[in-house]
Amino acid sequence: MNARPVDRILSLVQANGVLGLGEPTHGSANAFAWKFDVICDLASKGLLGAVAFEDSYIVGTRVNQALNEGGDLAEPWRDALSLWRTHTISAGIARLQSINAVLPPRERVRFLGIDSKPACHSALALIDAGAESPSLRRLARREELDEPGVDEARRVCEHFSRHRERHTAAAARQLMRYIDAYLTEPDLAGLHRRDTHMAETLLENLPDRGITIVWAHNEHVARNPDNFGGPSMGQVLATRIGARYSSIGILCGEGTCRAIDPSTDSKEYRSVTLPTAGPHTTETALRSQRTPFVTTTEFVHPGPRRFLGWRIDSSLTETAARREFELHRPTTDFDAIAYLPSSTADTSL
């Protein structure tokens, strides 16, 4: 079971635990496929309670309805972040839907969005619930707010967070979290709080049975007390629920990924070549180990590891790329690491 070490994964996570599944980039098709293999194996065994995605809470409710009632997944997924609108992820969710279709209702997997962005979805949900607010209407149109507008939106959210209808109250909380992370301080100085908010959203919506898998970047699921200004989501979860939380980082060798390349002056996702892993990186050490899956009690490395997200500048020199894309963190941020020898760019829907 080298490609899908589910037996070893099950030894790391409790029956009602939360398992963070990271990814080496936000656009590696083979990493996405690896994660869906794990997800679908667990779902087929009736062990999976939910998949929590680094995407909008509101979009997650729509995807969950289609996933559990056999509806059209393509329609709600059109509102997902462009990051996730790829062929591999779309096919993986459809595969999960087909598994759900043959499971008893009690064992069907839920889908949960744990992010507060974009704000337009929560703003629209509150407007639909009767909120009369120019600020919410601006957010629904994806327009910027001035300081008085931010204050007004916050007051409306505080009022609706006590709404008797659960979905409306949740939408208000998500919009408050968006305001806190993105609008309260200039230049996104509060963005580090997004990780705490994602953890809080997850904890508010944990299913009462089964494993919950969190789908996010390595650096969100890692345990890190200072992730660019505040604790990572994984750190918050480990603090709140202790041993019920575990995480697997996924690292990869050379290849390509789907990303935005600033050197092209284009905002479109495309296939971008990954910067080379340096001689002292965890990736290089794993390549020499020639093992596809290792726990961090078996293999400990001080780092750095590559930190590759949705944006990769291909024009950087090798030295500059290492400064930009290396993170000095140890492997012990995770409980285990899956190593993929290469990365293949996913394709846009």
Side-chain angles (χ1 to χ4, degrees), residues 298-313:
E298 300 166 333
F299 170 86
V300 178
H301 190 273
R305 58 178 176 261
R306 287 185 299 189
F307 178 29
L308 306 170
W310 57 272
R311 174 178 164 155
I312 297 177
D313 189 339

PDB file of all heavy atoms in Angstrom, residues 298-313:
ATOM      1  N   GLU A 298      10.063   8.443  12.934  1.00  0.00           N
ATOM      2  CA  GLU A 298      11.028   7.659  12.164  1.00  0.00           C
ATOM      3  C   GLU A 298      12.042   8.538  11.435  1.00  0.00           C
ATOM      4  O   GLU A 298      13.187   8.138  11.225  1.00  0.00           O
ATOM      5  CB  GLU A 298      10.300   6.809  11.116  1.00  0.00           C
ATOM      6  CG  GLU A 298       9.298   5.826  11.683  1.00  0.00           C
ATOM      7  CD  GLU A 298       8.376   5.274  10.611  1.00  0.00           C
ATOM      8  OE1 GLU A 298       8.133   5.946   9.599  1.00  0.00           O
ATOM      9  OE2 GLU A 298       7.899   4.137  10.808  1.00  0.00           O
ATOM     10  N   PHE A 299      11.611   9.726  11.056  1.00  0.00           N
ATOM     11  CA  PHE A 299      12.448  10.619  10.258  1.00  0.00           C
ATOM     12  C   PHE A 299      12.283  12.040  10.785  1.00  0.00           C
ATOM     13  O   PHE A 299      11.175  12.570  10.804  1.00  0.00           O
ATOM     14  CB  PHE A 299      12.024  10.545   8.781  1.00  0.00           C
ATOM     15  CG  PHE A 299      12.653  11.597   7.901  1.00  0.00           C
ATOM     16  CD1 PHE A 299      13.901  11.392   7.333  1.00  0.00           C
ATOM     17  CD2 PHE A 299      11.994  12.788   7.648  1.00  0.00           C
ATOM     18  CE1 PHE A 299      14.477  12.361   6.524  1.00  0.00           C
ATOM     19  CE2 PHE A 299      12.560  13.762   6.841  1.00  0.00           C
ATOM     20  CZ  PHE A 299      13.816  13.547   6.277  1.00  0.00           C
ATOM     21  N   VAL A 300      13.362  12.620  11.249  1.00  0.00           N
ATOM     22  CA  VAL A 300      13.332  13.989  11.757  1.00  0.00           C
ATOM     23  C   VAL A 300      14.352  14.813  10.990  1.00  0.00           C
ATOM     24  O   VAL A 300      15.506  14.413  10.840  1.00  0.00           O
ATOM     25  CB  VAL A 300      13.638  14.037  13.273  1.00  0.00           C
ATOM     26  CG1 VAL A 300      13.655  15.483  13.758  1.00  0.00           C
ATOM     27  CG2 VAL A 300      12.616  13.227  14.055  1.00  0.00           C
ATOM     28  N   HIS A 301      13.897  15.965  10.488  1.00  0.00           N
ATOM     29  CA  HIS A 301      14.780  16.850   9.721  1.00  0.00           C
ATOM     30  C   HIS A 301      14.503  18.285  10.163  1.00  0.00           C
ATOM     31  O   HIS A 301      13.340  18.678  10.330  1.00  0.00           O
ATOM     32  CB  HIS A 301      14.520  16.686   8.218  1.00  0.00           C
ATOM     33  CG  HIS A 301      15.527  17.367   7.356  1.00  0.00           C
ATOM     34  ND1 HIS A 301      15.426  18.685   6.973  1.00  0.00           N
ATOM     35  CD2 HIS A 301      16.685  16.911   6.805  1.00  0.00           C
ATOM     36  CE1 HIS A 301      16.461  19.004   6.226  1.00  0.00           C
ATOM     37  NE2 HIS A 301      17.238  17.955   6.105  1.00  0.00           N
ATOM     38  N   PRO A 302      15.542  19.092  10.341  1.00  0.00           N
ATOM     39  CA  PRO A 302      15.332  20.454  10.842  1.00  0.00           C
ATOM     40  C   PRO A 302      14.798  21.437   9.814  1.00  0.00           C
ATOM     41  O   PRO A 302      14.404  22.547  10.158  1.00  0.00           O
ATOM     42  CB  PRO A 302      16.739  20.878  11.286  1.00  0.00           C
ATOM     43  CG  PRO A 302      17.658  20.091  10.393  1.00  0.00           C
ATOM     44  CD  PRO A 302      16.976  18.763  10.203  1.00  0.00           C
ATOM     45  N   GLY A 303      14.753  21.036   8.546  1.00  0.00           N
ATOM     46  CA  GLY A 303      14.357  21.958   7.489  1.00  0.00           C
ATOM     47  C   GLY A 303      15.568  22.680   6.940  1.00  0.00           C
ATOM     48  O   GLY A 303      16.703  22.384   7.319  1.00  0.00           O
ATOM     49  N   PRO A 304      15.346  23.606   6.013  1.00  0.00           N
ATOM     50  CA  PRO A 304      14.068  24.165   5.578  1.00  0.00           C
ATOM     51  C   PRO A 304      13.309  23.236   4.626  1.00  0.00           C
ATOM     52  O   PRO A 304      13.880  22.280   4.111  1.00  0.00           O
ATOM     53  CB  PRO A 304      14.494  25.448   4.849  1.00  0.00           C
ATOM     54  CG  PRO A 304      15.844  25.099   4.275  1.00  0.00           C
ATOM     55  CD  PRO A 304      16.491  24.225   5.301  1.00  0.00           C
ATOM     56  N   ARG A 305      12.032  23.543   4.440  1.00  0.00           N
ATOM     57  CA  ARG A 305      11.242  22.896   3.403  1.00  0.00           C
ATOM     58  C   ARG A 305      10.701  23.981   2.480  1.00  0.00           C
ATOM     59  O   ARG A 305      10.621  25.152   2.860  1.00  0.00           O
ATOM     60  CB  ARG A 305      10.083  22.092   4.004  1.00  0.00           C
ATOM     61  CG  ARG A 305       9.113  22.905   4.872  1.00  0.00           C
ATOM     62  CD  ARG A 305       7.968  22.027   5.372  1.00  0.00           C
ATOM     63  NE  ARG A 305       7.073  22.731   6.280  1.00  0.00           N
ATOM     64  CZ  ARG A 305       7.132  22.644   7.593  1.00  0.00           C
ATOM     65  NH1 ARG A 305       8.079  21.909   8.174  1.00  0.00           N
ATOM     66  NH2 ARG A 305       6.272  23.298   8.364  1.00  0.00           N
ATOM     67  N   ARG A 306      10.337  23.604   1.278  1.00  0.00           N
ATOM     68  CA  ARG A 306       9.813  24.602   0.334  1.00  0.00           C
ATOM     69  C   ARG A 306       8.403  25.033   0.738  1.00  0.00           C
ATOM     70  O   ARG A 306       7.592  24.218   1.145  1.00  0.00           O
ATOM     71  CB  ARG A 306       9.803  24.043  -1.093  1.00  0.00           C
ATOM     72  CG  ARG A 306      11.186  23.929  -1.702  1.00  0.00           C
ATOM     73  CD  ARG A 306      11.141  23.496  -3.151  1.00  0.00           C
ATOM     74  NE  ARG A 306      10.539  22.187  -3.315  1.00  0.00           N
ATOM     75  CZ  ARG A 306      10.538  21.504  -4.458  1.00  0.00           C
ATOM     76  NH1 ARG A 306      11.095  22.012  -5.536  1.00  0.00           N
ATOM     77  NH2 ARG A 306       9.966  20.334  -4.535  1.00  0.00           N
ATOM     78  N   PHE A 307       8.163  26.306   0.613  1.00  0.00           N
ATOM     79  CA  PHE A 307       6.842  26.876   0.885  1.00  0.00           C
ATOM     80  C   PHE A 307       6.320  27.450  -0.430  1.00  0.00           C
ATOM     81  O   PHE A 307       6.648  28.563  -0.819  1.00  0.00           O
ATOM     82  CB  PHE A 307       6.951  27.962   1.962  1.00  0.00           C
ATOM     83  CG  PHE A 307       5.644  28.642   2.290  1.00  0.00           C
ATOM     84  CD1 PHE A 307       4.431  27.983   2.152  1.00  0.00           C
ATOM     85  CD2 PHE A 307       5.619  29.941   2.754  1.00  0.00           C
ATOM     86  CE1 PHE A 307       3.232  28.602   2.462  1.00  0.00           C
ATOM     87  CE2 PHE A 307       4.429  30.585   3.066  1.00  0.00           C
ATOM     88  CZ  PHE A 307       3.237  29.905   2.923  1.00  0.00           C
ATOM     89  N   LEU A 308       5.530  26.662  -1.132  1.00  0.00           N
ATOM     90  CA  LEU A 308       5.051  27.003  -2.472  1.00  0.00           C
ATOM     91  C   LEU A 308       3.541  27.112  -2.433  1.00  0.00           C
ATOM     92  O   LEU A 308       2.854  26.158  -2.083  1.00  0.00           O
ATOM     93  CB  LEU A 308       5.471  25.930  -3.480  1.00  0.00           C
ATOM     94  CG  LEU A 308       6.980  25.619  -3.508  1.00  0.00           C
ATOM     95  CD1 LEU A 308       7.256  24.382  -4.346  1.00  0.00           C
ATOM     96  CD2 LEU A 308       7.755  26.805  -4.037  1.00  0.00           C
ATOM     97  N   GLY A 309       3.018  28.267  -2.792  1.00  0.00           N
ATOM     98  CA  GLY A 309       1.582  28.476  -2.734  1.00  0.00           C
ATOM     99  C   GLY A 309       0.956  28.669  -4.094  1.00  0.00           C
ATOM    100  O   GLY A 309       1.303  27.993  -5.057  1.00  0.00           O
ATOM    101  N   TRP A 310       0.046  29.626  -4.176  1.00  0.00           N
ATOM    102  CA  TRP A 310      -0.712  29.851  -5.411  1.00  0.00           C
ATOM    103  C   TRP A 310       0.046  30.761  -6.376  1.00  0.00           C
ATOM    104  O   TRP A 310      -0.367  30.937  -7.516  1.00  0.00           O
ATOM    105  CB  TRP A 310      -2.057  30.486  -5.083  1.00  0.00           C
ATOM    106  CG  TRP A 310      -1.935  31.785  -4.330  1.00  0.00           C
ATOM    107  CD1 TRP A 310      -1.861  31.936  -2.976  1.00  0.00           C
ATOM    108  CD2 TRP A 310      -1.858  33.100  -4.874  1.00  0.00           C
ATOM    109  NE1 TRP A 310      -1.744  33.264  -2.643  1.00  0.00           N
ATOM    110  CE2 TRP A 310      -1.741  34.007  -3.788  1.00  0.00           C
ATOM    111  CE3 TRP A 310      -1.898  33.608  -6.187  1.00  0.00           C
ATOM    112  CZ2 TRP A 310      -1.648  35.378  -3.973  1.00  0.00           C
ATOM    113  CZ3 TRP A 310      -1.808  34.986  -6.359  1.00  0.00           C
ATOM    114  CH2 TRP A 310      -1.681  35.858  -5.255  1.00  0.00           C
ATOM    115  N   ARG A 311       1.178  31.297  -5.939  1.00  0.00           N
ATOM    116  CA  ARG A 311       1.921  32.253  -6.748  1.00  0.00           C
ATOM    117  C   ARG A 311       3.396  31.866  -6.751  1.00  0.00           C
ATOM    118  O   ARG A 311       4.009  31.747  -5.685  1.00  0.00           O
ATOM    119  CB  ARG A 311       1.734  33.653  -6.171  1.00  0.00           C
ATOM    120  CG  ARG A 311       2.557  34.730  -6.816  1.00  0.00           C
ATOM    121  CD  ARG A 311       2.229  36.064  -6.183  1.00  0.00           C
ATOM    122  NE  ARG A 311       3.256  37.040  -6.523  1.00  0.00           N
ATOM    123  CZ  ARG A 311       3.073  38.339  -6.544  1.00  0.00           C
ATOM    124  NH1 ARG A 311       1.891  38.833  -6.225  1.00  0.00           N
ATOM    125  NH2 ARG A 311       4.040  39.163  -6.854  1.00  0.00           N
ATOM    126  N   ILE A 312       3.967  31.671  -7.934  1.00  0.00           N
ATOM    127  CA  ILE A 312       5.379  31.301  -8.069  1.00  0.00           C
ATOM    128  C   ILE A 312       5.993  32.120  -9.191  1.00  0.00           C
ATOM    129  O   ILE A 312       5.564  32.034 -10.343  1.00  0.00           O
ATOM    130  CB  ILE A 312       5.546  29.792  -8.360  1.00  0.00           C
ATOM    131  CG1 ILE A 312       5.013  28.965  -7.178  1.00  0.00           C
ATOM    132  CG2 ILE A 312       7.007  29.448  -8.628  1.00  0.00           C
ATOM    133  CD1 ILE A 312       5.060  27.478  -7.390  1.00  0.00           C
ATOM    134  N   ASP A 313       6.981  32.919  -8.850  1.00  0.00           N
ATOM    135  CA  ASP A 313       7.662  33.786  -9.817  1.00  0.00           C
ATOM    136  C   ASP A 313       8.798  33.000 -10.469  1.00  0.00           C
ATOM    137  O   ASP A 313       9.823  32.736  -9.829  1.00  0.00           O
ATOM    138  CB  ASP A 313       8.193  35.029  -9.111  1.00  0.00           C
ATOM    139  CG  ASP A 313       8.719  36.080 -10.076  1.00  0.00           C
ATOM    140  OD1 ASP A 313       9.043  35.720 -11.220  1.00  0.00           O
ATOM    141  OD2 ASP A 313       8.808  37.257  -9.684  1.00  0.00           O
TER     142      ASP A 313
END
